[in-house]
Amino acid sequence: FLCLGAVPSCSALHQVASLYLLIGLASGLGNATANTSLTWAWHGAAPQLAAAFNLVNSCFPLGGSAAPLVVLASERRVGNSLAAFSAISVAALLPAAGCALLQPPTAPPPPPEERAEEEKEGAADGSSRAVGGSTVLGIDLGSRRAYVRCTVHAPLLLTTTLCIGAEIAYAAWVYAYAAHHAEMRSDEAAYLSSLYWSAFVVGRLSATPLAAYFSPGSILVPSLALEVLSLLALALLPPSSNVMRAGTVGAGVGVSMLFSNILSLLARYG
């Protein structure tokens, strides 16, 4: 938050880049801490955990939706859009300081050391309820835990990386693309960025009750399909204000449900 508030004082590009590097690191640590705390607090309660992931992670796009509006208001009323960075920094610091006073949840007890061996033996004699055993393409990985890491954790972590990249890249790209290729005015392009994050908020809040009744996998597939189709439409159709708005809403809703439900799916596998 201190780095964000210091952005208006920068006079060179390398200073801004350095501050944003620190901001990104701090944001990643904060996000990981919040989601880990949710996993600890709702350990063993999959529907409640999935709903909590979607609800808490809705705060991020809510801020993203408000930020362009704050910048435009700062430019019009104060005459300096950079003043918005200081205002956002103070507004974000207060609840973060309050969270530091809360009692953190305790970590769940680690599984017994013999659990992997029991699962492996159960898979061998057909008594285990786990699906897939410990063999991939004829190669025995030695334990059910290693099998889950290779066939579940690794693909989902890669998907998470790509989803977050698409989420942040679109938010950073849509303003410039709308202004230069769709020939939208600068204020319309800024509102388009806000529209993206607003659609993101609506999608993630809508996923909160859905996550209590549907599995994470059943939500991920249509969400990913909507995201891909929206981006393809933006890439293939002639750029116009209507196409940009429709594609932005679809991209925002589609990507909004991916991150939280991937975390829920990972939490189910421990």
Side-chain angles (χ1 to χ4, degrees), residues 12-32:
L13 180 60
H14 72 274
Q15 295 175 348
V16 177
S18 299
L19 284 178
Y20 267 92
L21 175 62
L22 296 175
I23 290 171
L25 291 174
S27 177
L29 289 173
N31 191 296

Side-chain angles (χ1 to χ4, degrees), residues 39-40 43-44 46 49 53 108-111 115 119 144-146 148-150 152-154 156-157 262-270:
T39 304
W40 290 357
H43 180 71
L49 177 60
F53 272 137
R115 178 180 173 186
E119 291 178 345
R144 171 65 178 170
R145 184 174 300 178
V148 170
R149 287 174 179 171
C150 292
V152 178
H153 290 176
L156 286 180
L157 288 175
I262 288 174
L263 290 183
S264 300
L265 195 58
L266 284 171
R268 293 192 175 197
Y269 283 91

Side-chain angles (χ1 to χ4, degrees), residues 109-166:
E113 294 181 359
E114 65 273 10
R115 178 180 173 186
E117 282 299 321
E118 291 177 354
E119 291 178 345
K120 180 181 178 181
E121 294 173 0
D125 61 20
S127 62
S128 174
R129 286 179 291 180
V131 179
S134 61
T135 303
V136 178
L137 299 177
I139 302 174
D140 190 356
L141 300 179
S143 68
R144 171 65 178 170
R145 184 174 300 178
Y147 174 87
V148 170
R149 287 174 179 171
C150 292
T151 61
V152 178
H153 290 176
L156 286 180
L157 288 175
L158 176 60
T159 304
T160 302
T161 302
L162 297 176
C163 289
I164 295 177

Side-chain angles (χ1 to χ4, degrees), residues 169-196 234-235 237-248:
Y170 189 90
W173 160 85
V174 65
Y175 176 88
Y177 185 86
H180 292 89
H181 294 276
E183 298 182 351
M184 299 177 68
R185 300 195 311 268
S186 60
D187 57 340
E188 290 181 335
Y191 287 131
L192 194 65
S193 179
S194 181
L195 177 64
Y196 170 73
L234 288 171
L237 296 178
S240 66
S241 58
N242 290 332
V243 170
M244 290 299 301
R245 292 189 184 97
T248 295

